[in-house]
Amino acid sequence: MTAEKKIFYKKAVSITWPIVIQNLLNAAVESADVLMLKFVSQDAISAVSLAGQATTILFMFYFGISAGATMLCAQYYGKGDLKAIHVVEGIALRFSIIISTLMFVVAFFFSRQFMYIYTNDPVLIEEGCGYLKIVSFSYLAWCFSEVYMAILKSVERVKICTVLNTIAFSLNIVLNAVFIFGWFGAPAMGVAGVALGTTISRVVELICCIIVSITSKDVKLKPSMAFVHNKVLFGDFIKLSLPALLNDVVWGLAFSMYSVILGHLGDDVVAANAIVGVVRNFGTILCYGVGAATGIILGNELGEGKTDTAMEHAKALMKLTLISGAIGGVMIGISIPFVMKFSASTLTETAMDYLLFMLCVSTYYVMGTAVNTTLITGVFRSGGDSRFGFICDTIDMWAYAVPLGFLSAFVFKFPVPVVYFLLCTDEFVKWPWVIKHYKSGKWIKNITRDNVA
């Protein structure tokens, strides 16, 4: 291995491992919630899983906004233009604040209507409404911290983000336990306790971001930048971010429709799927980390004008992606006996059968996720190519996976395992087009401008 490759891999690892830790902590929070709610009831697990779709949808918006900001900021950081980075941060904050406010209104004032989308079970609806009315306040803090940490990651301040996430997620787990079970004199709130713990931890996370911003010498959290108008950068942001935003929203809403489909097939399916979601999150931790690092590394290199280097490093990162997907599948496979034993005392016999099948499918599903995540959200977006992913996912999810799910579940009335298996073909159907686009090299572009800020 040459000295240059050693430097590259060292950089890749230094960026990847903090992101992996962040993903691990996020998965730990979800698994801790399921573990604690297991002592409440199966309905509690199902209610949080369905009500949590509001947070999932909002995260998809954040992910899309952050993608547009990262595409521009990573390249402008490579170019050395900090003024442009702050202007882009302001544009991202503008969109983030608007969308978070709208989602707050939906979750707080129309929580019952939202829950009706996912289930007609009155118990789950009631529990879910209590969760949504509290967790909705977390959105008003999350909109600032999510954008700021995306900017920090794009300028390779990944370790700081890891520290912030560690504080927030650790606090989240502790507070959830306190409010679920009523420890230390707090009221035993059950499902609502999860929402309260999450909200407090999000506020603390924002406070930590403000402290980091105050002590930072360059990249700061500046809400005032949301009112700064820069026609050129706003146009670039819309051109790059809008397809990425639409891509993530289209994908997120479609994935949410999977929950709609499964939610109307019974509580047993919902409970099993909630546990599988947690296990799958652990299985995809490494590949999501590689995907995120890919966007940052290649974006910096393209901003510096190193197109040939970016292509070579993209090939190396794809190898790491395949390895990470394989590791994720093995991890899920190894966990199956432990997950089944853990769930036996809470789930019904039918739910346990569904759980085993879903876990087996997940052992190979993570490979599809790994490849598509690295290519669409990492490689392609590093060069500003967000349009391809939007078109690809729109066709794949809305013209194929979602209609197939509804038809198989409600028209042909296939058994639950068949419905789930068909839904999990979505990642592999788009492989031929995604891989072909990667090999074409059309995504390699320098999207920066001179003296733009």
Side-chain angles (χ1 to χ4, degrees):
M1 184 182 293
T2 63
E4 185 180 346
K5 282 191 175 181
K6 287 182 179 179
I7 294 173
F8 161 72
Y9 280 115
K10 184 177 180 180
K11 181 178 180 180
V13 170
S14 68
I15 295 177
T16 299
W17 75 260
I19 298 174
V20 168
I21 291 176
Q22 291 172 48
N23 294 339
L24 178 62
L25 290 168
N26 187 40
V29 171
E30 293 185 23
S31 62
D33 289 348
V34 171
L35 176 63
M36 288 183 276
L37 291 173
K38 170 181 178 289
F39 296 100
V40 179
S41 68
Q42 178 173 305
D43 286 340
I45 295 174
S46 300
V48 170
S49 173
L50 295 178
Q53 293 302 311
T55 302
T56 300
I57 292 170
L58 183 58
F59 178 74
M60 287 301 115
F61 276 101
Y62 287 154
F63 197 78
I65 293 169
S66 298
T70 301
M71 278 187 278
L72 285 165
C73 291
Q75 290 210 15
Y76 275 112
Y77 182 67
K79 194 180 183 69
D81 192 341
L82 289 176
K83 289 184 178 179
I85 290 173
H86 278 120
V87 173
V88 172
E89 177 191 8
I91 296 169
L93 281 172
R94 199 180 312 162
F95 283 101
S96 180
I97 292 168
I98 292 171
I99 292 169
S100 297
T101 303
L102 290 174
M103 186 56 79
F104 166 79
V105 171
V106 170
F108 187 83
F109 294 103
F110 302 99
S111 56
R112 190 167 298 276
Q113 292 86 339
F114 182 86
M115 288 300 298
Y116 267 121
I117 297 173
Y118 294 94
T119 181
N120 50 14
D121 187 317
V123 176
L124 299 187
I125 290 172
E126 199 62 36
E127 291 272 28
C129 286
Y131 175 91
L132 285 170
K133 286 184 180 296
I134 297 174
V135 82
S136 60
F137 287 95
S138 71
Y139 305 157
L140 304 179
W142 197 14
C143 62
F144 294 98
S145 57
E146 190 67 22
V147 169
Y148 184 56
M149 285 195 282
I151 303 300
L152 288 174
K153 289 175 186 176
S154 68
V155 299
E156 300 182 7
R157 302 287 181 82
V158 184
K159 293 179 182 178
I160 294 176
C161 296
T162 302
V163 173
L164 296 178
N165 284 145
T166 300
I167 294 171
F169 291 151
S170 301
L171 181 63
N172 196 348
I173 293 173
V174 173
L175 291 178
N176 284 1
V178 168
F179 294 121
I180 288 174
F181 303 116
W183 291 352
F184 308 115
M189 301 171 66
V191 168
V194 178
L196 182 57
T198 299
T199 301
I200 294 174
S201 66
R202 288 293 179 196
V203 173
V204 171
E205 182 180 61
L206 175 58
I207 293 172
C208 291
C209 284
I210 293 171
I211 294 172
V212 170
S213 173
I214 293 172
T215 57
S216 176
K217 296 180 180 179
D218 41 38
V219 180
K220 296 181 177 292
L221 175 60
K222 295 183 176 182
S224 60
M225 294 301 293
F227 302 99
V228 173
H229 295 280
N230 185 300
K231 187 176 180 180
V232 176
L233 278 176
F234 183 80
D236 286 346
F237 185 88
I238 293 297
K239 180 181 177 182
L240 299 173
S241 184
L242 188 59
L245 174 59
L246 292 175
N247 183 183
D248 294 325
V249 170
V250 159
W251 186 89
L253 289 176
F255 210 76
S256 184
M257 292 306 292
Y258 294 3
S259 295
V260 172
I261 295 168
L262 297 175
H264 286 84
L265 294 178
D267 183 41
D268 288 331
V269 187
V270 175
N273 191 47
I275 294 173
V276 170
V278 172
V279 177
R280 188 186 290 174
N281 283 346
F282 277 106
T284 54
I285 284 172
L286 185 56
C287 63
Y288 280 144
V290 174
T294 297
I296 296 169
I297 294 170
L298 300 185
N300 292 163
E301 290 173 347
L302 290 173
E304 294 176 39
K306 299 177 180 178
T307 54
D308 292 337
T309 302
M311 188 62 185
E312 286 301 313
H313 288 170
K315 293 177 182 178
L317 288 163
M318 276 307 301
K319 292 178 182 177
L320 292 178
T321 296
L322 294 174
I323 294 171
S324 69
I327 292 173
V330 170
M331 285 175 58
I332 292 175
I334 293 173
S335 73
I336 290 177
F338 303 99
V339 175
M340 297 299 293
K341 184 177 181 180
F342 159 77
S343 306
S345 61
T346 304
L347 302 189
T348 65
E349 185 177 343
T350 302
M352 289 292 289
D353 290 338
Y354 293 155
L355 176 61
L356 178 59
F357 180 82
M358 292 175 176
L359 287 170
C360 290
V361 171
S362 297
T363 58
Y364 66 83
Y365 186 74
V366 292
M367 182 60 78
T369 303
V371 172
N372 289 325
T373 297
T374 297
L375 287 177
I376 293 176
T377 66
V379 175
F380 300 162
R381 289 184 183 179
S382 69
D385 185 357
S386 53
R387 183 171 174 269
F388 175 84
F390 167 55
I391 295 172
C392 182
D393 278 334
T394 300
I395 296 172
D396 176 56
M397 303 295 275
W398 289 99
Y400 170 74
V402 172
L404 181 64
F406 273 103
L407 288 172
S408 62
F410 307 120
V411 177
F412 300 114
K413 299 186 183 299
F414 289 151
V416 169
V418 175
V419 175
Y420 187 81
F421 170 79
L422 291 173
L423 287 173
C424 290
T425 59
D426 60 340
E427 294 287 0
F428 300 98
V429 166
K430 59 188 177 186
W431 264 18
W433 290 273
V434 173
I435 294 172
K436 181 181 178 182
H437 189 67
Y438 160 68
K439 291 182 176 180
S440 72
K442 293 179 181 179
W443 51 272
I444 302 176
K445 295 176 184 176
N446 185 326
I447 55 176
T448 63
R449 300 172 187 266
D450 294 326
N451 303 317
V452 72

